[in-house]
Amino acid sequence: MKLSHLPTRLATGAFLVNSGVEKLAATDDAAKLWHDRACVAFPFVRRLDPRVFARLLGLGELALGGALLSPMVPPATAGLGLTAFSTALLRLYLKTPGLTKEDGIRPTAQGTPLAKDVWMLGIGLSLILDAARPRRRMFRRRLGDRRRLQNSRVRAIQAIRRTA
């Protein structure tokens, strides 16, 4: 893990672990509220019992938070998970009536708690993009090594021809 990833992974991971623990200990009323909101954006969730949904959501948040906190999970993997999770939250925000103003994007007072989760999307995408960057550098290094090797071969052939 890069040192520059540490602050965002620690903050986001700790936030998600805490949120997951709270959802695992949720009351029936809280589980029903989360379930009802999720049903608006994701109709297939209706088939789940609200308590089961809250438990699955809590376990998912714990797993994602743990992945972000673990230095053994590559940045691209952690970023993909965070991007998927935050995209689902933003879909929930955009699809739920009353959370956005007339323009359909800017949050109302009730929508601000979900709209602020856009920061997780930014962090997830940053982890993915940053993980993709070193591969280009490595490719360039390999390309440079090939050129140097080819140049040394050409010089060796030229030296052989000069001596012959």
Side-chain angles (χ1 to χ4, degrees):
M1 179 183 342
K2 288 184 176 182
L3 187 60
S4 62
H5 295 170
L6 193 61
T8 54
R9 285 183 72 163
L10 280 175
T12 311
F15 179 85
L16 286 169
V17 166
N18 180 58
S19 181
V21 168
E22 286 180 6
K23 283 186 178 63
L24 289 177
T27 63
D28 288 339
D29 292 337
K32 181 154 178 36
L33 175 70
W34 295 323
H35 182 262
D36 290 344
R37 281 191 174 173
C39 287
V40 172
F42 305 100
F44 65 88
V45 172
R46 282 187 188 18
R47 295 183 291 209
L48 293 173
D49 177 64
R51 294 289 299 159
V52 171
F53 173 75
R55 184 155 179 79
L56 290 172
L57 184 58
L59 290 172
E61 287 182 344
L62 278 173
L64 181 56
L68 285 162
L69 292 172
S70 173
M72 293 174 281
V73 175
T77 305
L80 282 170
L82 188 58
T83 299
F85 180 72
S86 60
T87 301
L89 288 176
L90 291 174
R91 177 183 165 91
L92 180 67
Y93 159 71
L94 292 170
K95 293 284 186 180
T96 304
L99 297 185
T100 59
K101 293 185 178 179
E102 296 80 31
D103 61 9
I105 297 194
R106 292 180 302 141
T108 61
Q110 297 85 5
T112 300
L114 274 176
K116 68 171 179 46
D117 290 336
V118 73
W119 61 272
M120 288 194 291
L121 177 63
I123 291 170
L125 291 173
S126 294
L127 289 170
I128 293 167
L129 292 173
D130 194 46
R133 193 172 39 189
R135 290 185 183 157
R136 280 197 333 253
R137 288 184 195 152
M138 187 170 62
F139 175 73
R140 286 182 186 152
R141 269 191 235 130
R142 286 183 182 167
L143 186 60
D145 290 345
R146 286 182 190 160
R147 286 183 183 150
R148 281 191 293 277
L149 182 61
Q150 189 175 14
N151 288 340
S152 65
R153 287 179 185 161
V154 168
R155 279 183 264 151
I157 291 170
Q158 289 171 346
I160 292 170
R161 285 183 183 160
R162 274 184 257 147
T163 58

PDB file of all heavy atoms in Angstrom, residues 7-20:
ATOM      1  N   PRO A   7      -4.174   7.724   4.360  1.00  0.00           N
ATOM      2  CA  PRO A   7      -5.217   8.540   4.992  1.00  0.00           C
ATOM      3  C   PRO A   7      -6.629   8.240   4.474  1.00  0.00           C
ATOM      4  O   PRO A   7      -7.570   8.107   5.270  1.00  0.00           O
ATOM      5  CB  PRO A   7      -4.820   9.983   4.663  1.00  0.00           C
ATOM      6  CG  PRO A   7      -3.371   9.922   4.342  1.00  0.00           C
ATOM      7  CD  PRO A   7      -3.126   8.562   3.760  1.00  0.00           C
ATOM      8  N   THR A   8      -6.769   8.120   3.164  1.00  0.00           N
ATOM      9  CA  THR A   8      -8.118   7.887   2.628  1.00  0.00           C
ATOM     10  C   THR A   8      -8.615   6.483   2.945  1.00  0.00           C
ATOM     11  O   THR A   8      -9.792   6.296   3.250  1.00  0.00           O
ATOM     12  CB  THR A   8      -8.163   8.122   1.104  1.00  0.00           C
ATOM     13  OG1 THR A   8      -7.162   7.330   0.474  1.00  0.00           O
ATOM     14  CG2 THR A   8      -7.964   9.572   0.765  1.00  0.00           C
ATOM     15  N   ARG A   9      -7.726   5.518   2.896  1.00  0.00           N
ATOM     16  CA  ARG A   9      -8.158   4.152   3.200  1.00  0.00           C
ATOM     17  C   ARG A   9      -8.499   3.992   4.675  1.00  0.00           C
ATOM     18  O   ARG A   9      -9.474   3.319   5.025  1.00  0.00           O
ATOM     19  CB  ARG A   9      -7.090   3.145   2.764  1.00  0.00           C
ATOM     20  CG  ARG A   9      -7.063   2.965   1.240  1.00  0.00           C
ATOM     21  CD  ARG A   9      -6.091   1.931   0.796  1.00  0.00           C
ATOM     22  NE  ARG A   9      -6.541   0.580   1.118  1.00  0.00           N
ATOM     23  CZ  ARG A   9      -6.046  -0.517   0.563  1.00  0.00           C
ATOM     24  NH1 ARG A   9      -5.089  -0.429  -0.346  1.00  0.00           N
ATOM     25  NH2 ARG A   9      -6.489  -1.706   0.904  1.00  0.00           N
ATOM     26  N   LEU A  10      -7.715   4.627   5.558  1.00  0.00           N
ATOM     27  CA  LEU A  10      -8.005   4.543   6.994  1.00  0.00           C
ATOM     28  C   LEU A  10      -9.328   5.230   7.329  1.00  0.00           C
ATOM     29  O   LEU A  10     -10.166   4.666   8.033  1.00  0.00           O
ATOM     30  CB  LEU A  10      -6.877   5.175   7.811  1.00  0.00           C
ATOM     31  CG  LEU A  10      -5.643   4.330   8.034  1.00  0.00           C
ATOM     32  CD1 LEU A  10      -4.565   5.140   8.750  1.00  0.00           C
ATOM     33  CD2 LEU A  10      -5.973   3.088   8.831  1.00  0.00           C
ATOM     34  N   ALA A  11      -9.510   6.454   6.830  1.00  0.00           N
ATOM     35  CA  ALA A  11     -10.725   7.204   7.154  1.00  0.00           C
ATOM     36  C   ALA A  11     -11.968   6.510   6.607  1.00  0.00           C
ATOM     37  O   ALA A  11     -12.959   6.319   7.322  1.00  0.00           O
ATOM     38  CB  ALA A  11     -10.622   8.620   6.595  1.00  0.00           C
ATOM     39  N   THR A  12     -11.920   6.105   5.361  1.00  0.00           N
ATOM     40  CA  THR A  12     -13.080   5.475   4.733  1.00  0.00           C
ATOM     41  C   THR A  12     -13.335   4.097   5.329  1.00  0.00           C
ATOM     42  O   THR A  12     -14.482   3.728   5.600  1.00  0.00           O
ATOM     43  CB  THR A  12     -12.880   5.365   3.213  1.00  0.00           C
ATOM     44  OG1 THR A  12     -12.463   6.634   2.715  1.00  0.00           O
ATOM     45  CG2 THR A  12     -14.146   4.943   2.518  1.00  0.00           C
ATOM     46  N   GLY A  13     -12.271   3.331   5.533  1.00  0.00           N
ATOM     47  CA  GLY A  13     -12.429   2.000   6.119  1.00  0.00           C
ATOM     48  C   GLY A  13     -13.019   2.043   7.513  1.00  0.00           C
ATOM     49  O   GLY A  13     -13.934   1.282   7.839  1.00  0.00           O
ATOM     50  N   ALA A  14     -12.511   2.955   8.350  1.00  0.00           N
ATOM     51  CA  ALA A  14     -13.030   3.083   9.714  1.00  0.00           C
ATOM     52  C   ALA A  14     -14.495   3.521   9.703  1.00  0.00           C
ATOM     53  O   ALA A  14     -15.314   3.024  10.481  1.00  0.00           O
ATOM     54  CB  ALA A  14     -12.187   4.075  10.501  1.00  0.00           C
ATOM     55  N   PHE A  15     -14.825   4.442   8.801  1.00  0.00           N
ATOM     56  CA  PHE A  15     -16.208   4.904   8.678  1.00  0.00           C
ATOM     57  C   PHE A  15     -17.128   3.745   8.313  1.00  0.00           C
ATOM     58  O   PHE A  15     -18.201   3.570   8.905  1.00  0.00           O
ATOM     59  CB  PHE A  15     -16.274   6.009   7.615  1.00  0.00           C
ATOM     60  CG  PHE A  15     -17.651   6.555   7.387  1.00  0.00           C
ATOM     61  CD1 PHE A  15     -18.150   7.565   8.189  1.00  0.00           C
ATOM     62  CD2 PHE A  15     -18.458   6.051   6.377  1.00  0.00           C
ATOM     63  CE1 PHE A  15     -19.428   8.070   7.988  1.00  0.00           C
ATOM     64  CE2 PHE A  15     -19.731   6.546   6.170  1.00  0.00           C
ATOM     65  CZ  PHE A  15     -20.214   7.558   6.973  1.00  0.00           C
ATOM     66  N   LEU A  16     -16.723   2.933   7.337  1.00  0.00           N
ATOM     67  CA  LEU A  16     -17.559   1.813   6.893  1.00  0.00           C
ATOM     68  C   LEU A  16     -17.665   0.717   7.949  1.00  0.00           C
ATOM     69  O   LEU A  16     -18.728   0.116   8.115  1.00  0.00           O
ATOM     70  CB  LEU A  16     -17.038   1.251   5.581  1.00  0.00           C
ATOM     71  CG  LEU A  16     -17.312   2.121   4.360  1.00  0.00           C
ATOM     72  CD1 LEU A  16     -16.542   1.627   3.150  1.00  0.00           C
ATOM     73  CD2 LEU A  16     -18.788   2.171   4.066  1.00  0.00           C
ATOM     74  N   VAL A  17     -16.583   0.440   8.654  1.00  0.00           N
ATOM     75  CA  VAL A  17     -16.638  -0.572   9.723  1.00  0.00           C
ATOM     76  C   VAL A  17     -17.619  -0.123  10.799  1.00  0.00           C
ATOM     77  O   VAL A  17     -18.468  -0.896  11.259  1.00  0.00           O
ATOM     78  CB  VAL A  17     -15.233  -0.848  10.308  1.00  0.00           C
ATOM     79  CG1 VAL A  17     -15.320  -1.605  11.613  1.00  0.00           C
ATOM     80  CG2 VAL A  17     -14.388  -1.626   9.300  1.00  0.00           C
ATOM     81  N   ASN A  18     -17.540   1.141  11.197  1.00  0.00           N
ATOM     82  CA  ASN A  18     -18.460   1.669  12.210  1.00  0.00           C
ATOM     83  C   ASN A  18     -19.904   1.587  11.725  1.00  0.00           C
ATOM     84  O   ASN A  18     -20.795   1.163  12.461  1.00  0.00           O
ATOM     85  CB  ASN A  18     -18.098   3.115  12.541  1.00  0.00           C
ATOM     86  CG  ASN A  18     -19.015   3.696  13.586  1.00  0.00           C
ATOM     87  OD1 ASN A  18     -19.125   3.182  14.689  1.00  0.00           O
ATOM     88  ND2 ASN A  18     -19.722   4.752  13.224  1.00  0.00           N
ATOM     89  N   SER A  19     -20.140   1.960  10.489  1.00  0.00           N
ATOM     90  CA  SER A  19     -21.491   1.909   9.929  1.00  0.00           C
ATOM     91  C   SER A  19     -22.003   0.472   9.874  1.00  0.00           C
ATOM     92  O   SER A  19     -23.170   0.201  10.169  1.00  0.00           O
ATOM     93  CB  SER A  19     -21.489   2.528   8.532  1.00  0.00           C
ATOM     94  OG  SER A  19     -22.770   2.522   7.975  1.00  0.00           O
ATOM     95  N   GLY A  20     -21.123  -0.463   9.513  1.00  0.00           N
ATOM     96  CA  GLY A  20     -21.512  -1.867   9.463  1.00  0.00           C
ATOM     97  C   GLY A  20     -21.876  -2.414  10.831  1.00  0.00           C
ATOM     98  O   GLY A  20     -22.865  -3.147  10.982  1.00  0.00           O
TER      99      GLY A  20
END
